[in-house]
Amino acid sequence: MPLRRILAATAAVLLLGATGACGEKASGVTDGRLDVVTAFYPLQFLAERIGGPAVHVTQLTKPGAEPHDVELNPRQVGRISDAGLVVYLAGFQPAVDEAVAQEAKDRAFDAGSAVELLAAGEHEHEPGEEEHAEARGGTDPHVWLDPVRYATIAGRLAERLGQADPAHATAYTERATALRTELTALDAAYAAGLKTCARREIVTSHTAFHYLTDRYGLTEVGITGVSPEAEPSPRRLAEVAERARAAGATTIFFETLVSPKVAETIAREVGARTAVLDPLEGVSEPGADYFSVMRANLTALTAALGCPS
């Protein structure tokens, strides 16, 4: 073969190899940032606040969607497979659990492993609810509604990010410490605001506030259990209405991502009003974040429970 043809062929092979290398993305990295895939909003919030400019964060649950029963498409499973770190809560979203087990078991952080989880609140099980409660042996997944536990998770996440990306470990720790300071202030505001109230029992459409009520000495009566889409039986509706009357409830709470109809039914029955108490499984309002929603929840609680301002 003529020398010039050999040289031309060799140059073509080298050019092809260089082009392919330029088009490849290092596993777990986007634009030099650690790829972090989060299961739903409270975990996205932590990853963004702690990761800062060193991470590229995506969320598996679409904004405005109810996260309990999220289903993953192939592209989302691919993101989990390619991620530098996956942040999830085992037992809360079965589809995410399965994808993590298959694609990212050694690159995953289970937020529930960082703290002691509470048992699911007492309520009447409606069809379809048991699967959520039993996924973690009957524990309640809504741990982010307790600022103290949430701060502990933040610290552990910073450690896990540092293991995945040692070059930025110190920055992750510093941002987690700053976030803990904010969460400590939020906890203090809740403790002060809910310390002395005319009533200490809240009626909610969805048993999602066990961590909050446990932290601040309140009692929650949920119309449904941990699954917000379950339909309560007539017997359960009657039981909740009776308890609401006995407690002198002035407000029946509903949440943002599900229909308020059941709460409105109870409210009409007992002569109460309805108001939003957001479980923060996602945010839908522009500009809203964890802290703004938690402050709005505190305002709603103090008004409903007759707490001094």
Side-chain angles (χ1 to χ4, degrees):
M1 180 183 292
L3 180 60
R4 72 169 180 270
R5 292 183 63 184
I6 295 174
L7 293 175
T10 302
V13 170
L14 292 173
L15 178 61
L16 179 61
T19 303
C22 290
E24 290 177 359
K25 177 176 80 68
S27 179
V29 177
T30 295
D31 298 329
R33 297 176 293 167
L34 181 71
D35 266 328
V36 180
V37 174
T38 58
F40 57 101
Y41 174 73
L43 303 182
Q44 176 193 8
F45 178 80
L46 285 185
E48 290 177 339
R49 286 291 303 268
I50 297 168
V55 301
H56 174 260
V57 181
T58 57
Q59 184 191 169
L60 297 173
T61 304
K62 295 179 180 179
E66 213 296 314
H68 287 77
D69 299 309
V70 69
E71 297 293 338
L72 303 180
N73 59 44
R75 184 176 181 181
Q76 290 173 311
V77 174
R79 286 177 179 169
I80 290 174
S81 180
D82 293 338
L85 184 67
V86 180
V87 185
Y88 76 118
L89 181 61
F92 185 53
Q93 297 169 299
V96 176
D97 291 354
E98 182 178 355
V100 167
Q102 294 179 358
E103 305 291 340
K105 192 173 183 179
D106 60 339
R107 292 172 288 106
F109 170 69
D110 172 14
S113 68
V115 293
E116 180 181 358
L117 298 180
L118 297 175
E122 295 182 3
H123 63 278
E124 177 188 273
H125 283 297
E126 304 294 345
E129 286 193 332
E130 290 82 353
E131 61 184 86
H132 299 286
E134 292 174 358
R136 262 195 176 275
T139 55
D140 185 339
H142 303 88
V143 63
W144 56 90
L145 292 172
D146 175 357
V148 177
R149 282 182 169 87
Y150 198 49
T152 299
I153 293 172
R156 288 287 301 279
L157 177 57
E159 294 175 6
R160 190 65 182 83
L161 285 167
Q163 293 169 8
D165 179 20
H168 296 99
T170 299
Y172 294 142
T173 299
E174 289 173 350
R175 283 190 285 268
T177 300
L179 180 57
R180 177 182 288 275
T181 299
E182 292 183 66
L183 289 167
T184 298
L186 179 66
D187 170 54
Y190 264 81
L194 299 173
K195 183 177 181 180
T196 307
C197 304
R199 295 168 293 279
R200 304 205 69 79
E201 189 168 271
I202 62 173
V203 181
T204 62
S205 59
H206 167 207
T207 306
F209 299 91
H210 190 186
Y211 289 94
L212 189 152
T213 57
D214 179 77
R215 176 65 62 187
Y216 303 111
L218 305 176
T219 300
E220 179 184 18
V221 178
I223 300 172
T224 66
V226 293
S227 176
E229 295 179 348
E231 290 291 333
S233 66
R235 179 169 67 87
R236 181 58 179 170
L237 289 173
E239 289 175 351
V240 173
E242 183 178 351
R243 284 196 63 173
R245 288 193 198 92
T250 63
T251 306
I252 309 298
F253 288 110
F254 67 94
E255 61 183 81
T256 54
L257 299 181
V258 296
S259 171
K261 290 182 179 179
V262 173
E264 291 170 349
T265 298
I266 297 291
R268 285 194 299 270
E269 181 71 19
V270 303
R273 67 185 185 94
T274 59
V276 171
L277 194 63
D278 196 329
L280 254 169
E281 293 171 355
V283 292
S284 54
E285 294 295 324
D289 69 1
Y290 176 85
F291 284 105
S292 66
V293 173
M294 285 294 283
R295 286 191 290 267
N297 280 348
L298 178 57
T299 297
L301 285 168
T302 55
L305 296 175
C307 311
S309 55

